[in-house]
Amino acid sequence: MTPSRLRLLMYIMLPEYMLTALGVKHPVRDSANEYFISMTRHIIAERKRNKNNNYNDFIDLAINADNNNTEGDSQGIRDHHISDSLNGVKKGIKRGDSYMSEDEALANSWIFLNTGCKGLSIALAFLAYELALHPNHQQRLYEEVKGCVGTGDKEIDFESISQMPFLEAVINESQRLHTISI
């Protein structure tokens, strides 16, 4: 048995405290986190280079706050910093009269993604379950989507979704029946 297979088997079979004591780390979770962090850093760097587009999302807010922080530092202004350390103040993202470090911004981005994925996947699972229980509603929803999108290669965008009242009703009813609490 290869070491990676043994590690995966240990991760599946042993309780969390034993894995911690043995120093066994999850083979997929760490690489997925590293990928997300490197991708987020890449997106931040790319957006700082190309300032023409405004995405109006969390990363843009962080970049704009970071730009304000850079301007304040160049004027010799030292605001309170969240990540004050014994060695001095780390440069980060401005938040009111304080700063958020890049690591804190990355952690918040990861939390947004992780929470959003879990909530959305649970909601979609319940939606699929309810549609499987009610094939007549499933067929009606299918016909509404097909009527709005057609058989061509038309993209489903916000405008086409807003023209589907039964889709909204099905989603709302599924969320009413199966409230998600994370």
Side-chain angles (χ1 to χ4, degrees):
M1 186 176 287
T2 64
S4 61
R5 286 185 181 174
L6 179 62
R7 183 180 302 141
L8 185 60
L9 183 63
M10 286 174 45
Y11 188 78
I12 293 170
M13 301 299 286
L14 295 176
E16 187 83 27
Y17 71 91
M18 288 186 92
L19 294 172
T20 305
L22 293 172
V24 176
K25 294 185 177 181
H26 193 282
V28 176
R29 186 180 305 149
D30 292 339
S31 64
N33 290 341
E34 290 169 9
Y35 173 77
F36 176 77
I37 289 171
S38 68
M39 185 58 70
T40 305
R41 284 192 172 136
H42 173 74
I43 291 170
I44 290 172
E46 190 66 32
R47 288 189 185 179
K48 283 183 178 180
R49 278 193 298 273
N50 182 10
K51 298 180 181 181
N52 297 335
N53 295 338
N54 184 12
Y55 295 93
N56 200 21
D57 59 2
F58 175 77
I59 293 175
D60 270 357
L61 292 174
I63 290 170
N64 291 338
D66 188 32
N67 290 340
N68 292 338
N69 176 25
T70 306
E71 293 167 6
D73 286 351
S74 65
Q75 298 169 359
I77 299 170
R78 183 182 181 274
D79 291 329
H80 173 73
H81 191 282
I82 291 175
S83 298
D84 280 340
S85 66
L86 297 174
N87 300 332
V89 176
K90 296 178 184 176
K91 189 171 180 181
I93 297 169
K94 186 169 183 169
R95 188 171 61 189
D97 289 337
S98 57
Y99 296 110
M100 181 191 314
S101 71
E102 182 178 322
D103 288 340
E104 290 170 328
L106 289 170
N108 282 321
S109 299
W110 184 86
I111 289 170
F112 290 159
L113 177 76
N114 193 28
T115 304
C117 287
K118 286 182 181 177
L120 182 62
S121 64
I122 292 168
L124 288 175
F126 281 129
L127 180 66
Y129 171 74
E130 287 297 328
L131 287 173
L133 289 178
H134 303 94
N136 55 336
H137 297 306
Q138 182 181 5
Q139 184 62 33
R140 182 175 168 195
L141 180 62
Y142 172 76
E143 289 169 5
E144 182 181 69
V145 171
K146 189 175 177 184
C148 188
V149 175
T151 57
D153 293 334
K154 182 181 174 188
E155 280 190 29
I156 300 176
D157 56 359
F158 180 76
E159 183 65 33
S160 60
I161 289 175
S162 65
Q163 296 174 359
M164 296 186 232
F166 189 67
L167 173 63
E168 184 176 354
V170 167
I171 292 171
N172 288 340
E173 182 65 11
S174 175
Q175 289 179 344
R176 185 188 70 81
L177 293 172
H178 308 283
T179 305
I180 301 168
S181 60
I182 295 177

